[in-house]
Amino acid sequence: MCGIVGYVGKRDAIPVLVEGLRRLEYRGYDSAGLAVVSRGRLQVTKTAGRVQDLRDKVKSTTKATLGVGHTRWATHGEPNEVNAHPHTDTAGRVAVVHNGIIENAEQLREQLQAGGVALASDTDTEALAHMIAAELGDDGEVSLEAAVVRTLGRVEGAYGLVVLDVKNPDQLVVARNGSPIVLGLGENEMFVASDVAALVRYTRQVIYLEDGEVATIRANDYHTTSLTGAQNAAKTPTTVDADADDYELGGFQDYMRKEIHEQPDALRRALRGRLEDRFATARLGGINFDARELRNIKTVKFLGCGSAYYAGQMGAMLVEELARIPADAEPASEFRYRSPVVDPDTLYVAVSQSGETIDTLMAVQELKRKGGQVIGAVNVVGSAIGRECGHGIFLHAGPEVAVASTKALTNMAVNFALLALLLGRVRDTSSANGHRVVSGLRALPEQVNRILASEEDIAAIAYTYAAAEHMFFIGRVRGWPVAREGAQKLKEISYVHAEAYQAGELKHGPLALIQPDMPSVVIVPSDDLVAKNISTIEQIKARSGPVIALTSTDIPEGLADAVIRVPKAEPELEPILLNIPLQILAYHAAAKLGRDIDKPRNLAKSVTVE
């Protein structure tokens, strides 16, 4: 959940590092720092706060062609300048930037202190710098790569790290275990980062490191080895399907609003070439199943974290409705710890925007150990989950920078609709029903455009209720995962306490909390439960609770205090549309409250630590 950048080449390293950190700030923004080799000495600049603060602090006179940088989301030690990365050894020879958590850090720190090392920070990372420096010694017989490998042999936990040594000013050593690291290949220069966002301004040719790999990079070459010392085979570079402009605001004030408005185009990308009119079905070539294998699937389980989990709930509902296959969703963070019974006839779908979410990745590895069949649903080609699964569904959402997921969640749901349609058409879903769903999917981008056109009206509602300290989000059946995702959005960017409840459960306890200063957002799809959802609104109103109705159908005039309408879609697809206004509602509530929408407190974009 932090950002790493490294550079070795001919150009001035500091602007490259600072620009890379700026593009990775959504991965961590408690503090930032960089280290470069300048005139044979290590120059370290660190600050609490944002990358802009670091930019202002760096000396313009410092010139270097080798360096590392880091923007931090704190795990060990409070966010301050001392705990900011890079961390160095006592002599100022070695600098380390690190993502992940060293699980035996306390033991390692105690050993260092017992040996007379004075530790400056509260972090787990600092121990690595001292240990690597000790392995290097002063005689020059041990290479930097060997020193890193020896050190990591004593380390337990997850890491993505980059190491710089003043006495080896032509190289960086990089290692990965459970935290993403990608190498960027330039012309007479090399880059390293924790996310391709930091690299696409300079190169689109990248190499993804695998867990247990170590790489030494120089301006003109690189090689990879394993932690056992075995030389790895040459890797084939991957071309990144993005460019620098994809990571720019493009006239928007922040990334979340930009990405909300990119959803029609994101949906078109997800649907392009995947709808089959002749047989009224979907094409998902990435999952590599023929019709017989698809028919042998007895159940489907979606695994994800946060919004990916809620999208999985939408997917499970789509699979059950369209394919009539039992399906459900589960938080990946729970799945990996509960000793799950893995059924070989179950299709597991691992869902992650970044493809690097550690809990989901570990769930995939647990499934593979137990013989489960698992596919990935990811938004980053070459990501760890995509590589681990080997096949799956590419979301085609485009780069998503804001911490709060919008277009990626929407594309998850539409891709799961495609999967459900595909499964249904090899079973009992009729051709007529398939054509109905295909037409409904094609209509989605323009329907989302119509919702976006009503942004001002939704913003006015958000401003009215932004001052509330608590909110309920109420949904039933198709509306239930929508309510959960809506509550999540409001919580994570506005810091308003929000809870989601199933409508039928409201009267079994939560109704006691309803009062005039407790608004409820009630989801009312155009299904056969409209009357029941109207009854839910009436129960809330009877207790003087304000109600915002989010609906695609007609409800009695004056029933709710505010109404947000979405276009009527095919019933199974309506949750995809119902999510969009809740993103806009949360965005404008947060804006009214003056929140830093793209960088909410205590959160970062890609969760690669437990």
Side-chain angles (χ1 to χ4, degrees):
M1 291 179 71
C2 307
I4 283 176
V5 184
Y7 175 78
V8 54
K10 301 299 182 185
R11 70 175 83 198
D12 188 357
I14 291 178
V16 175
L17 298 175
V18 172
E19 173 63 17
L21 293 179
R22 183 184 71 82
R23 292 178 179 272
L24 295 185
E25 195 167 15
Y26 63 95
R27 296 181 67 117
Y29 37 84
D30 294 336
S31 56
L34 58 82
V36 297
V37 176
S38 179
R39 298 176 182 175
R41 299 183 62 184
L42 188 64
Q43 301 285 334
V44 179
T45 308
K46 303 197 290 187
T47 185
R50 301 297 172 82
V51 171
Q52 182 59 49
D53 300 321
L54 178 68
R55 186 196 302 268
D56 296 340
K57 195 173 181 179
V58 173
K59 294 179 180 178
S60 60
T61 56
T62 302
K63 301 298 180 183
T65 57
L66 175 82
V68 294
H70 191 270
T71 180
R72 181 172 183 250
W73 185 83
T75 57
H76 287 72
E78 65 183 61
N80 57 32
E81 186 172 316
V82 173
N83 290 328
H85 297 215
H87 288 284
T88 67
D89 66 311
T90 306
R93 174 181 175 179
V94 171
V96 178
V97 291
H98 162 235
N99 291 349
I101 293 178
I102 305 303
E103 294 174 359
N104 62 334
E106 284 306 310
Q107 176 187 345
L108 297 174
R109 286 171 60 90
E110 288 171 3
Q111 291 171 358
L112 287 167
Q113 288 172 320
V117 175
L119 298 173
S121 75
D122 300 318
T123 69
D124 52 347
T125 305
E126 186 186 356
L128 300 178
H130 292 287
M131 293 164 65
I132 293 167
E135 292 288 351
L136 281 168
D138 296 321
D139 54 17
E141 293 183 3
V142 178
S143 69
L144 179 58
E145 181 180 288
V148 171
V149 169
R150 290 181 188 178
T151 298
L152 294 179
R154 299 167 56 193
V155 167
E156 298 172 8
Y159 51 79
L161 58 87
V162 185
V163 183
L164 175 158
D165 174 18
V166 170
K167 295 186 178 180
N168 288 279
D170 65 336
Q171 65 186 259
L172 297 172
V173 173
V174 187
R176 171 192 170 132
N177 184 48
S179 190
I181 288 290
V182 58
L183 309 182
L185 283 62
E187 188 172 336
N188 298 318
E189 59 185 355
M190 288 285 290
F191 308 82
V192 59
S194 51
D195 190 304
V196 296
L199 307 180
V200 291
R201 181 175 179 178
Y202 308 104
T203 180
R204 294 175 62 191
Q205 296 298 302
V206 301
I207 297 288
Y208 293 94
L209 286 195
E210 303 286 350
D211 282 350
E213 278 192 316
V214 179
T216 296
I217 65 171
R218 296 179 175 85
N220 297 310
D221 63 25
Y222 75 95
H223 70 267
T224 62
T225 62
S226 70
L227 285 173
T228 62
Q231 192 81 15
N232 291 346
K235 291 175 173 289
T236 301
T238 299
T239 301
V240 176
D241 186 20
D243 57 39
D245 290 342
D246 292 331
Y247 295 92
E248 298 297 339
L249 283 168
F252 288 92
Q253 185 174 348
D254 39 53
Y255 284 102
M256 183 177 177
R257 187 158 181 261
K258 173 179 182 276
E259 288 158 8
I260 287 172
H261 282 264
E262 287 176 340
Q263 288 177 107
D265 286 340
L267 283 169
R268 292 185 186 100
R269 284 194 300 272
L271 295 171
R272 189 175 297 129
R274 288 174 160 179
L275 294 174
E276 171 56 74
D277 288 300
R278 181 181 178 189
F279 297 108
T281 188
R283 298 190 191 98
L284 288 172
I287 64 175
N288 296 332
F289 290 133
D290 61 26
R292 184 181 297 275
E293 290 169 319
L294 291 171
R295 285 189 63 85
N296 287 336
I297 295 169
K298 299 297 188 293
T299 57
V300 179
K301 181 181 280 289
F302 295 85
L303 300 171
C305 298
S307 292
Y309 164 46
Y310 303 140
Q313 284 192 308
M314 297 175 206
M317 199 165 299
L318 283 159
V319 168
E320 289 202 342
E321 288 192 282
L322 294 177
R324 306 307 299 158
I325 302 173
D328 69 351
E330 181 177 349
S333 54
E334 292 290 306
F335 180 83
R336 60 180 289 209
Y337 286 120
R338 68 172 181 80
S339 188
V341 176
V342 175
D343 183 349
D345 294 327
T346 295
L347 175 64
Y348 295 89
V349 184
V351 192
S352 169
Q353 188 281 136
S354 67
E356 301 287 351
T357 309
I358 189 64
D359 288 310
T360 309
L361 176 60
M362 297 300 287
V364 169
Q365 293 171 347
E366 178 74 2
L367 282 166
K368 292 186 71 175
R369 278 193 293 270
K370 294 184 174 182
Q373 54 179 340
V374 56
I375 63 173
V378 301
N379 196 41
V380 179
V381 173
S383 60
I385 291 171
R387 297 196 308 272
E388 190 75 36
C389 292
H391 62 144
I393 303 169
F394 183 49
L395 300 179
H396 286 291
E400 189 178 67
V401 174
V403 169
S405 183
T406 53
K407 62 178 181 176
L409 174 125
T410 299
N411 273 34
M412 288 172 190
V414 82
N415 274 285
F416 298 156
L418 293 170
L419 176 63
L421 176 62
L422 177 63
L423 291 170
R425 287 293 288 129
V426 299
R427 284 177 167 78
D428 301 323
T429 300
S430 68
S431 176
N433 214 20
H435 280 296
R436 176 184 64 83
V437 175
V438 167
S439 296
L441 287 165
R442 279 210 172 92
L444 287 176
E446 185 51 41
Q447 288 173 323
V448 172
N449 265 328
R450 289 165 59 188
I451 295 170
L452 296 176
S454 65
E455 181 177 5
E456 287 188 11
D457 295 333
I458 301 171
I461 296 170
Y463 296 159
T464 300
Y465 295 100
E469 294 184 2
H470 312 278
M471 289 186 75
F472 272 161
F473 286 73
I474 309 298
R476 189 189 303 267
V477 188
R478 291 185 184 123
W480 168 229
V482 176
R484 298 192 76 183
E485 170 60 16
Q488 165 109 341
K489 281 289 164 289
L490 190 68
K491 281 184 282 195
E492 64 185 341
I493 63 167
S494 75
Y495 320 147
V496 173
H497 173 240
E499 294 295 336
Y501 280 98
Q502 291 161 309
E505 291 297 303
L506 188 63
K507 56 185 172 290
H508 296 292
L511 203 57
L513 295 173
I514 295 296
Q515 53 191 3
D517 61 352
M518 177 82 151
S520 296
V521 178
V522 182
I523 318 300
V524 188
S526 58
D527 54 20
D528 55 3
L529 299 172
V530 172
K532 289 188 177 295
N533 285 319
I534 289 174
S535 175
T536 297
I537 295 175
E538 289 169 337
Q539 291 175 42
I540 296 170
K541 293 297 295 178
R543 289 154 179 84
S544 302
V547 171
I548 304 167
L550 172 59
T551 184
S552 56
T553 190
D554 295 325
I555 62 174
E557 189 74 26
L559 175 66
D561 297 271
V563 179
I564 301 172
R565 300 191 183 277
V566 303
K568 186 174 290 189
E570 294 304 326
E572 301 91 341
L573 304 178
E574 279 196 352
I576 299 172
L577 296 180
L578 290 165
N579 270 299
I580 310 296
L582 297 185
Q583 298 169 358
I584 299 171
L585 188 79
Y587 172 86
H588 285 285
K592 177 69 172 178
L593 294 168
R595 310 304 191 206
D596 191 340
I597 293 171
D598 284 339
K599 304 178 180 72
R601 67 188 182 201
N602 302 329
L603 299 175
K605 181 64 175 175
S606 179
V607 184
T608 56
V609 297
E610 288 196 80

